Amino acid sequence: MPIATVNPATGKTLETFEPIAPAEIERRLAAAHAAYGHHRTTSFGERSRLLRRAAELLEEDTESIARTMTTEMGKPIKAARAEAAKCVKAMRWYADHAEGLLADEHPAEADVRDSGASRAVVHYRPLGVVLAVMPWNFPLWQVVRFAAPALMAGNVGLLKHASNVPRTALYLEDLFRRAGFPEGCFQTLLVGSDAIEDILRDHRVAAATLTGSEPAGRAVASVAGDEIKKTVLELGGSDPYLVLPSADVEQAAKTAVTARVQNNGQSCIAAKRFIVHADVYEAFRERFVAGMRKLTVGDPLSEETDVGPLSSERGRADLEELVDDAVAHGATALCGGQRPTEQERGWFYAPTVLADITPRMRIHREETFGPVATLYRVDDLDEAVALANDTPFGLSSNVWTRDEADIARCVRDLQAGGVFFNGMTASHPGLPFGGVKRSGYGRELSGHGIREFCNATTVWHGPAE
């Protein structure tokens, strides 16, 4: 895949980039290794000062970087601005909290004595150079949620971004440089996916984090496993959205529209499978379909647009194949199900709701990366939970209910990294984020995220003489 900025609203290639040469990769690896030797010794106060400056600069750059993201991958400009603001928030959160999150831990005195020590403490120390393989769908946020905690912990970063967002990738390197981080602390590698293995195997790279597809996760994890290097993987998701009898149906349906089409439906944590109890099914279906029909599809740079194009022609073709397969096997398109006729150029797809889904259909098992929802009717909570778990993924989940017994059951039995009640899944710097099953392993954000790439070092002192 060429490294290029291609406007998905028009299909026009705006700029292409040559991959950096092997000699330049070597230079950057050496710079990262050297930078880590210094950066790991700096104080939290110094790191915090630099990260706050990066947040200030990003805040100032919001409009320009928002337009860059929209032009490169098609998200509505309003969503792009919100993404930049979220990154600013995360940077400031880690600048404020990192020192406390990585504070020394003191084991219980009884355990210290029982170990034969006069004293013992656990220190958190950075691992080193971390390779980040990042996706195009949230081209700023996915990187910042790795970079902010990693840099605050004393690690340094190498970014291999998706090949269709090179301008955003280069902006991120420039952002941290302008903020004052020393050379080598954060670098963008404009390389193809074929270069990842050699970089990851390099002895100067200590660990890797990847957000992306399941095949990409398998590839990176297998290489890292062979090298015995730590990885964090955040992969696909096919999140269930349960609507139970005690739900506020009107609010559930309104939120469901946003939960499905956020980022043009191209989000791992977007709700995708809408599992609705028979008692409220008709009321929910009517409101949900009406809400999806009202969405404005069009130029993502327009303030009026709700849903922009998919990021690539291949992405739209993959989505069409899933929808066509479902319809061929008996699914009913309650709205959408085709390209919008008013869009002559670009990779647009109409917001779609499919009902009458069966296990014979690919869409029942595969992730839909676009504004397509599948709607299921169930007779009780047992059926709802079983259907919610009938997926190879387990990233997040949403449940609408006022019943405490329903809440307790869903917390206990839903197989997901998160359960969001009476709202849609969202990430926050103070809450751990990640999945189970084929959605990956490890956690980002919060204290869990910053400690993923730290060495918990036990320091033991023998009896005092």
Side-chain angles (χ1 to χ4, degrees), residues 113 163 182 219 236 326 355 361 385 413 458:
R113 290 193 301 271
S163 294
M361 304 167 188
V385 170
D413 290 344
T458 298

Side-chain angles (χ1 to χ4, degrees), residues 328-349:
H329 286 91
T332 303
L334 301 180
C335 66
Q338 60 191 0
R339 302 179 186 185
T341 56
E342 63 273 19
Q343 303 296 335
E344 297 181 358
R345 298 187 303 165
W347 302 312
F348 294 89
Y349 197 80

Side-chain angles (χ1 to χ4, degrees), residues 189-207:
L189 305 178
L190 287 185
V191 296
S193 57
D194 58 345
I196 294 174
E197 179 172 349
D198 285 346
I199 295 169
L200 183 51
R201 289 190 185 279
D202 191 281
H203 71 278
R204 291 163 292 191
V205 174

Side-chain angles (χ1 to χ4, degrees), residues 57-362:
L57 291 170
L58 177 53
E59 199 165 43
E60 293 169 6
D61 295 343
T62 291
E63 192 61 31
S64 61
I65 189 56
R67 293 184 70 86
T68 296
M69 288 190 286
T70 294
T71 301
E72 288 200 306
M73 55 71 57
K75 69 173 70 233
I77 189 66
K78 295 179 290 187
R81 293 190 194 107
E83 182 172 338
K86 189 171 187 175
C87 292
V88 170
K89 180 177 182 178
M91 287 178 174
R92 289 175 173 156
W93 191 89
Y94 273 108
D96 290 342
H97 293 91
E99 185 171 9
L101 295 171
L102 297 180
D104 292 346
E105 292 182 4
H106 298 276
E109 283 298 324
D111 292 327
V112 173
R113 290 193 301 271
D114 192 52
S115 74
S118 60
R119 54 194 173 99
V121 64
V122 177
H123 295 298
Y124 286 99
R125 297 290 181 257
L127 290 182
V129 179
V130 182
L131 173 65
V133 182
M134 293 288 111
W136 49 262
N137 57 337
F138 291 95
L140 205 66
W141 170 242
Q142 302 280 13
V143 178
V144 167
R145 77 183 191 188
F146 142 74
L151 291 169
M152 282 303 302
N155 294 300
V156 303
L158 290 173
L159 170 64
K160 191 289 178 205
H161 218 324
S163 294
N164 61 332
V165 290
R167 289 177 175 175
T168 305
L170 291 171
Y171 168 81
L172 283 156
E173 178 180 82
D174 185 60
L175 173 68
F176 290 112
R177 178 190 60 77
R178 287 187 290 137
F181 282 93
E183 180 184 359
C185 276
F186 186 93
Q187 300 176 87
T188 287
L189 305 178
L190 287 185
V191 296
S193 57
D194 58 345
I196 294 174
E197 179 172 349
D198 285 346
I199 295 169
L200 183 51
R201 289 190 185 279
D202 191 281
H203 71 278
R204 291 163 292 191
V205 174
T209 179
L210 178 142
T211 299
S213 68
E214 184 182 337
R218 288 179 183 274
V220 166
S222 64
V223 173
D226 189 49
E227 295 290 336
I228 316 179
K229 294 182 179 181
K230 175 71 180 289
T231 54
V232 170
L233 302 181
E234 193 262 277
L235 308 178
S238 190
D239 290 4
Y241 189 101
L242 280 60
V243 184
L244 302 177
S246 63
D248 179 338
V249 175
E250 185 169 350
Q251 189 60 40
K254 181 179 178 181
T255 304
V257 173
T258 303
R260 176 65 284 240
V261 303
Q262 59 172 311
N263 207 47
N264 304 338
Q266 299 167 122
S267 170
C268 295
I269 58 169
K272 299 182 177 79
R273 297 176 298 131
F274 296 82
I275 300 168
V276 186
H277 193 283
D279 290 355
V280 292
Y281 178 86
E282 293 300 330
F284 177 86
R285 179 189 60 78
E286 179 182 353
R287 289 167 174 79
F288 182 42
V289 173
M292 293 284 276
R293 283 179 174 152
K294 288 179 181 178
L295 294 168
T296 298
V297 179
D299 180 4
L301 288 173
S302 169
E303 302 291 342
E304 307 305 315
T305 294
D306 299 308
V307 180
L310 299 186
S311 69
S312 68
E313 190 171 18
R314 179 69 259 173
R316 182 175 66 177
D318 289 344
L319 189 68
E320 286 177 320
E321 288 176 10
L322 287 177
V323 173
D324 292 346
D325 172 80
V327 172
H329 286 91
T332 303
L334 301 180
C335 66
Q338 60 191 0
R339 302 179 186 185
T341 56
E342 63 273 19
Q343 303 296 335
E344 297 181 358
R345 298 187 303 165
W347 302 312
F348 294 89
Y349 197 80
T352 298
V353 179
L354 298 177
D356 305 313
I357 305 299
T358 69
R360 293 181 60 204
M361 304 167 188
R362 288 175 54 199

Side-chain angles (χ1 to χ4, degrees), residues 412-430:
R412 186 191 71 184
D413 290 344
L414 286 178
Q415 298 166 359
V419 187
F420 285 68
F421 290 98
N422 302 316
M424 59 181 274
T425 297
S427 53
H428 182 280

